[in-house]
Amino acid sequence: MGKVPATYRARLSTLISLCLEIETEYGYVDARLLAKKAGLTDRAVRDYINDLLSLGILVYAGGGRYRVNRDLVESVLRLYYTEPSVQLRIEDFITPSFVQSILRTKELDDKVRRVLGKLNLELIFSGTLRDKIRDLRIREGEYGPLVGDRVVMRGVARDVVLDDVWVPGSFSAKHLAHYGLGYYALISIVYLSAGVYIGYFEKNVLNDHKSIKRVVPELIPFEERQPFVPGDPFYEISTDFPELLDAGRRLAARLLKEILHYHLDLRMLKEYGDMFDVYFRSGTLVPHGFFVQAKKLVQLKDECHDLFYRLVDLGRKKGVIVAGITPFSVDNILLRTVEEMLNTKIADTNDINFLMNVLENGDTTCLIKREREKGKPQIEGYYEFYIKCRDFVVRVDFVSHEDPWAEYEKLRDLVYSTFVTPPRPGMYPGPGVVNGAQELAYRNLEQLMRMIEGSLKVSLYEYVEGLLEKRDEERMRRVGRSGA
């Protein structure tokens, strides 16, 4: 009897991480090494390897050895700089491009569909079911979160002409690194960066020269700049369970990244909010629902929520719709509601993967009204919808100021009109201004890392080396005295 989909997904997700570890250590992956690491039989592991080959996550290198598809894995990892994830999951690799290859490529059909069947995803590619979903109508009040008269709003997105129009986008990135200083200390550094690109469109063409670009932190010399007031960059996390420290660091990194992002958004709205009426930010608008107990993490979470409320309030005062846009989703609210409407179990996946084969270019879903969730700040008038632009489905969430449908139409058409296919793996699918902000944030992050790592090597590492030299000199003196 085969494994249930949930068990199979969990096992396959774990094996992806183990393959990365093994290749890092040995330079390749084979069934024996993977079986030993995973505690499975060679036969079971070979079945999993065949499935990972079918999905393109592993590549056969000859001689019974395999290599991880680094381009695919690194593109997923790069995107997850911006989104919370405990580990790589098999669902992360069911990407828009992968789904499109399934829909278009006959040669891979049998092998890939067998794997999708194990993952309980095969039904989402059913043409008959797709047609039923596209025809579903909503009776008011019958299906709680869905607002509108149809689940799928067909071909409603318009490509509008943008002339003398400013469209902003913001993006934040992080990187967590650990540095060992001899035998004395371990320093964990969270590198943070955020960028804003306020694009100026003239006769439907983006004028990069006239557009406004900002990044934080601003890496400029501060000599003769007064006053220079440093903040407190040190956070202490303690626990009786050392294995939880890494999780605490990662959670702190996510919260710090969001705090930096909200600060930059607030600054841009204050300075330039009179120039535009929509503001796009990468990721979700509402902070993720983290459950924390450590004192410093609680403080960071509270600060994150406070900044969110301030951003929504400032947007309302300025008449700006602040919207989050993301190609990721851990939610399956729409999928579960559609399963209830059809009285059919469809798949175990998230809403974006579900909608990849349901929506066509220019389609959106109805509005989905989100109620308060545990761990998240309470907010009235919070809505989201999904839109398909070319081969990508993205989620847009916003807080309504007045009329959610009028705001939906404005967001829908602006997303569709400014949407850019990612120019390379790892780039964020979305409006071009968000791509521009991502470039700024990553470039600034890399520069920040070079500067700080250089300072560590020059100062702290040299200091530790001096301590080691003095220790060795003292040892030699003791040996000399005892020899005499």
Side-chain angles (χ1 to χ4, degrees):
M1 182 177 177
K3 291 181 173 59
V4 297
T7 303
Y8 176 74
R9 282 199 307 275
R11 180 65 56 77
L12 214 53
S13 299
T14 299
L15 290 177
I16 292 171
S17 297
L18 293 179
C19 285
L20 286 168
E21 291 179 19
I22 292 169
E23 184 173 320
T24 299
E25 185 174 354
Y26 295 95
Y28 63 88
V29 177
D30 66 22
R32 180 185 59 82
L33 290 170
L34 187 56
K36 183 178 180 181
K37 198 90 169 176
L40 300 171
T41 65
D42 283 5
R43 180 178 178 181
V45 159
R46 290 185 190 281
D47 288 339
Y48 286 116
I49 285 176
N50 287 332
D51 292 344
L52 292 174
L53 283 169
S54 297
L55 296 175
I57 297 170
L58 289 182
V59 178
Y60 187 60
R65 296 180 174 183
Y66 306 87
R67 286 197 168 85
V68 176
N69 183 343
R70 287 282 172 178
D71 289 341
L72 176 60
V73 172
E74 287 176 4
S75 68
V76 173
L77 286 171
R78 186 172 175 84
L79 281 172
Y80 274 96
Y81 278 172
T82 64
E83 298 288 331
S85 178
V86 176
Q87 66 169 22
L88 285 174
R89 303 163 302 168
I90 189 62
E91 293 94 328
D92 302 331
F93 295 90
I94 312 298
T95 59
S97 57
F98 175 77
V99 172
Q100 292 301 323
S101 73
I102 295 174
L103 299 176
R104 296 170 180 166
T105 308
K106 298 295 183 183
E107 291 79 4
L108 296 177
D109 200 62
D110 291 340
K111 292 189 297 181
V112 174
R113 285 185 184 277
R114 178 178 59 82
V115 179
L116 293 174
K118 293 182 182 181
L119 292 168
N120 196 24
L121 295 176
E122 186 176 10
L123 198 57
I124 66 174
F125 298 100
S126 164
T128 302
L129 181 63
R130 176 180 183 271
D131 292 339
K132 286 183 180 179
I133 296 169
R134 291 178 61 81
D135 288 336
L136 277 178
R137 293 189 172 274
I138 303 168
R139 289 191 291 272
E140 187 175 352
E142 186 174 2
Y143 296 101
L146 305 190
V147 181
D149 58 358
R150 302 179 68 100
V151 171
V152 175
M153 319 225 350
R154 301 188 186 187
V156 291
R158 298 181 303 141
D159 195 351
V160 297
V161 176
L162 302 175
D163 187 27
D164 192 25
V165 172
W166 298 87
V167 182
S170 68
F171 192 97
S172 61
K174 69 174 178 6
H175 180 71
L176 178 61
H178 308 292
Y179 303 93
L181 303 178
Y183 299 103
Y184 302 98
L186 173 66
I187 296 179
S188 296
I189 298 180
V190 180
Y191 295 98
L192 302 168
S193 178
V196 163
Y197 188 102
I198 304 177
Y200 178 71
F201 289 84
E202 191 172 23
K203 297 179 180 177
N204 221 33
V205 175
L206 178 62
N207 186 332
D208 181 70
H209 179 71
K210 194 172 179 179
S211 298
I212 299 168
K213 305 163 191 175
R214 296 287 186 274
V215 293
V216 287
E218 296 175 273
L219 305 179
I220 57 176
F222 60 85
E223 293 88 347
E224 299 181 3
R225 294 175 181 268
Q226 298 296 332
F228 174 67
V229 182
D232 180 4
F234 298 105
Y235 296 89
E236 180 181 353
I237 300 175
S238 61
T239 174
D240 292 332
F241 303 94
E243 61 272 17
L244 296 180
L245 278 175
D246 186 57
R249 292 188 188 103
R250 293 180 184 278
L251 185 52
R254 295 173 191 166
L255 290 167
L256 288 166
K257 180 179 77 73
E258 286 302 305
I259 287 169
L260 183 73
H261 198 167
Y262 282 127
H263 273 299
L264 182 59
D265 291 338
L266 283 164
R267 174 182 158 190
M268 292 300 102
L269 277 182
K270 288 175 183 175
E271 293 184 21
Y272 303 104
D274 296 333
M275 296 166 52
F276 43 77
D277 52 13
V278 169
Y279 187 97
F280 291 118
R281 68 189 311 272
S282 66
T284 60
L285 174 61
V286 178
H288 289 279
F290 298 123
F291 294 94
V292 296
Q293 290 184 327
K295 180 179 178 181
K296 184 55 68 173
L297 292 179
V298 171
Q299 290 174 352
L300 291 175
K301 179 181 175 180
D302 288 345
E303 182 178 357
C304 193
H305 287 193
D306 178 64
L307 290 169
F308 161 72
Y309 284 123
R310 286 168 56 188
L311 181 63
V312 171
D313 186 57
L314 183 59
R316 183 177 288 111
K317 290 176 180 176
K318 291 277 190 178
V320 176
I321 308 168
V322 183
I325 184 164
T326 177
F328 302 103
S329 174
V330 295
D331 294 329
N332 60 358
I333 291 175
L334 184 63
L335 171 58
R336 285 190 282 109
T337 305
V338 168
E339 287 178 334
E340 181 185 350
M341 295 171 78
L342 294 175
N343 194 27
T344 301
K345 178 63 178 176
I346 297 174
D348 295 311
T349 189
N350 58 54
D351 282 334
I352 283 184
N353 285 342
F354 161 59
L355 291 168
M356 275 301 305
N357 191 41
V358 172
L359 300 183
E360 294 181 357
N361 182 35
D363 290 349
T364 78
T365 64
C366 60
L367 283 177
I368 304 167
K369 193 174 191 306
R370 301 299 300 265
E371 302 298 335
R372 188 182 183 184
E373 299 174 27
K374 289 183 179 179
K376 291 188 177 184
Q378 184 174 0
I379 190 73
E380 295 295 327
Y382 178 40
Y383 295 89
E384 68 182 24
F385 66 92
Y386 294 85
I387 179 171
K388 188 167 188 179
C389 302
R390 303 179 183 90
D391 291 338
F392 295 87
V393 175
V394 294
R395 184 183 68 182
V396 181
D397 65 326
F398 66 100
V399 176
S400 174
H401 299 331
E402 296 177 1
D403 180 357
W405 281 109
E407 291 153 342
Y408 148 82
E409 290 178 2
K410 185 173 290 188
L411 289 167
R412 174 199 71 196
D413 294 342
L414 200 52
V415 169
Y416 190 73
S417 301
T418 58
F419 194 90
V420 173
T421 299
R424 61 180 180 276
M427 293 298 292
Y428 213 71
V433 291
V434 177
N435 290 148
Q438 180 179 11
E439 291 279 12
L440 293 171
Y442 278 144
R443 196 180 307 137
N444 198 53
L445 185 72
E446 290 164 2
Q447 186 179 353
L448 180 66
M449 291 171 62
R450 284 196 300 269
M451 290 174 59
I452 293 179
E453 287 177 351
S455 298
L456 280 173
K457 290 175 181 177
V458 170
S459 55
L460 290 176
Y461 284 6
E462 287 184 356
Y463 177 71
V464 170
E465 287 176 4
L467 289 177
L468 295 174
E469 288 176 4
K470 289 180 179 179
R471 181 198 64 183
D472 292 340
E473 290 172 1
E474 179 61 29
R475 285 175 175 172
M476 293 299 292
R477 282 196 294 271
R478 287 201 300 268
V479 170
R481 287 195 297 269
S482 63

